[in-house]
Amino acid sequence: MSTSINDSAAETSALFPTYARYPIALVKGEGSRLWDDAGKCYLDFMSGLAVTNLGHVPAQVKAKIVAQLDTLWHVSNLFHIPQQEEAAALLVKHSCADAVFFCNSGAEANEAAIKLARRYQQNIAGTGRYEIITFHQSFHGRTLATLTATGQDKVKDGYAPLPEGFKYAPFNDIEALRDAISDQTGAIMLEIVQAEGGVNLLQPEFAAAVDALCKELGLLLIIDEVQTGMGRTGKMFAHEHYGLQPDIFTLAKGLGSGFPVGAMLAKGYLRDAFGPGSHASTFGGTPLSMSAVIGTLETHISEQIAARVADTGTYLMAQLHDKIGSLPVVKEIRGMGLLIGIECNIPVQGMLAEAQQAGLLFVSAGPNVIRLLPNLLVTKEEIEEAIRILQPILQAASVTA
Ligand SMILES: *Cc1c(COP(=O)(O)O)cnc(C)c1O
């Protein structure tokens, strides 16, 4: 270990400096509120980046995890795991999918989706088509395959050589997609809302065209619902808004309410492509993580969270249009449910810091977009409170814009 008297706190940290961290240490959470180590309270409109969808430390999920903590934490997937069967059955019952593979993160879920698509085309359909088309501004994760799938150069810098078999097309451009498809194309992978990429919404005409092309050419449709799934957009899964039935879709962020867990879900005809020995995860689907998933899903179902989000999301959008929509700095407000982007005509990093000072936490989506991700049980009063903090910040920014 190298030390110097002049090292700053950041330089002496034992962690890799992979994150540009805000100067705040959050130590306690409850519902929509977070507290830092100095006791300051914040209204949370980022939810750990769409993870704590049921608020911080939700009682129903906590009860499930605590009960499991007393019984059994981990067993190998060499054995039957009843909690994993139960969680998968719940997901299948409430989605268009027939089979589930559990893992630990969004990147791993997408990695499994990519592997399943290739293996299906090679071993089951026998077409040998390995290429996957993804879209500019997409985000699919940070493993080598998923960062290659991601349509943003900044996540790829310095990691060459990258895996082969990915091709990129502009989002919502039907002709460009047609041109990108080749004899080797086996799947198309997309997000319903490109959340990291700027809160860009899938256009209905494009969705219909992708669906038709997949059916016509025998391509698999993979939908990355890591951020949009689990009620975030006002449906349990965002593809339901478009009447799509993806061959494969992936979940992670909100799936365990903060417990790390991911899932790859697929139609029944893909089941045999992942036979014994084809894919695995040591920690995927342990009794402990499954207790978090079951608690989360049961809460979603009993509290009808998605329908509630449709209502609160409409209220948030209307309030935003009313209170900040005409400010000069605001270029466009767009989103779905409680995943909302406010595109400004200047960078938003300074506004984000000012909001933190004033007790409101949110994130950006690219340099110029404020991204609001409150928990899905957020109240109308909390929405009004957030806008009371945001409005003067955007108003002051409008003077310089
Ligand atoms: C966050 C995210 C991922 C990556 O998830 P990790 O759990 O960080 O690996 C993938 N796709 C989308 C759409 C995401 O928002």
Side-chain angles (χ1 to χ4, degrees), residues 67-102:
Q68 193 59 50
L69 268 175
D70 279 334
T71 322
L72 182 66
W73 295 7
H74 177 90
V75 287
S76 162
N77 277 305
L78 292 171
F79 298 92
H80 286 285
I81 300 177
Q83 296 88 345
Q84 203 180 116
E85 295 284 355
E86 186 183 345
L90 274 172
L91 282 169
V92 163
K93 183 173 174 208
H94 294 277
S95 75
C96 65
D98 304 305
V100 185
F101 178 86
F102 285 107

Side-chain angles (χ1 to χ4, degrees), residues 105-108 110 139-142 191 195-196 224 226-227 252-253:
S105 67
E108 271 181 274
N110 288 334
F139 182 79
H140 298 299
R142 299 285 197 155
E191 296 155 272
E196 302 295 315
D224 179 345
V226 169
Q227 188 154 163
K253 292 192 163 91

Side-chain angles (χ1 to χ4, degrees), residues 26 63 66 88 128 170 235 249 351 359:
L26 299 164
V66 168
K235 296 273 188 197
F249 72 97
M351 297 183 237

Side-chain angles (χ1 to χ4, degrees), residues 201-278:
L201 275 67
L202 177 69
Q203 298 300 321
E205 313 79 61
F206 187 67
V210 169
D211 195 34
L213 276 172
C214 284
K215 287 186 172 124
E216 180 193 329
L217 303 172
L219 314 180
L220 297 172
L221 175 59
I222 306 173
I223 301 189
D224 179 345
E225 292 255 14
V226 169
Q227 188 154 163
T228 53
M230 300 307 293
R232 175 55 61 189
T233 67
K235 296 273 188 197
M236 189 64 161
F237 308 110
H239 59 258
E240 295 169 22
H241 288 288
Y242 296 79
L244 291 172
Q245 295 230 354
D247 300 288
I248 305 173
F249 72 97
T250 54
L251 300 172
K253 292 192 163 91
L255 183 59
S257 298
F259 200 102
V261 57
M264 187 276 293
L265 299 90
K267 289 285 196 188
Y269 43 82
L270 291 155
R271 198 188 301 264
D272 290 343
F274 258 10
S278 58

